Amino acid sequence: FWGDSQYNLDELIALGAPVERCTVVPIAVPPRRAAVESAVEREPGTWMFLGRVAANKRQANLVRLFAKVRARRPELARKLHIVGGIHES
């Protein structure tokens, strides 16, 4: 059984997957640089989290870090976007 993170693998194990047959296989697909640069208009100081909003993703840590950076170097932390569905647990 494969999980893309230890958190997801632990969920598989909790559902009955045998531990000795489980391994983490990270998702590692480098984006094509030209596609990324043409699809995204960058705005200095903008931060974005894109993914499922859940406690294990630790968005609260991101918000605290953003606040610290903004206090010291506001030009580096102007906007924070958190985008994704909410997983309540």
Side-chain angles (χ1 to χ4, degrees), residues 6-50:
Q6 187 61 51
Y7 179 87
N8 289 335
L9 195 63
D10 290 343
E11 287 185 334
L12 287 172
I13 292 167
L15 291 170
V19 175
E20 66 277 1
R21 295 185 55 205
C22 294
T23 189
V24 173
V25 179
I27 299 171
V29 179
R32 287 187 16 225
R33 186 178 181 127
V36 171
E37 289 176 354
S38 66
V40 177
E41 187 174 319
R42 296 176 185 227
E43 185 178 334
T46 299
W47 296 25
M48 178 180 284
F49 171 87
L50 178 61

Side-chain angles (χ1 to χ4, degrees), residues 44-46 70 72-78:
T46 299
R70 186 177 177 114
R72 293 181 186 149
R73 301 278 308 273
E75 73 279 6
L76 298 179
R78 293 186 174 142

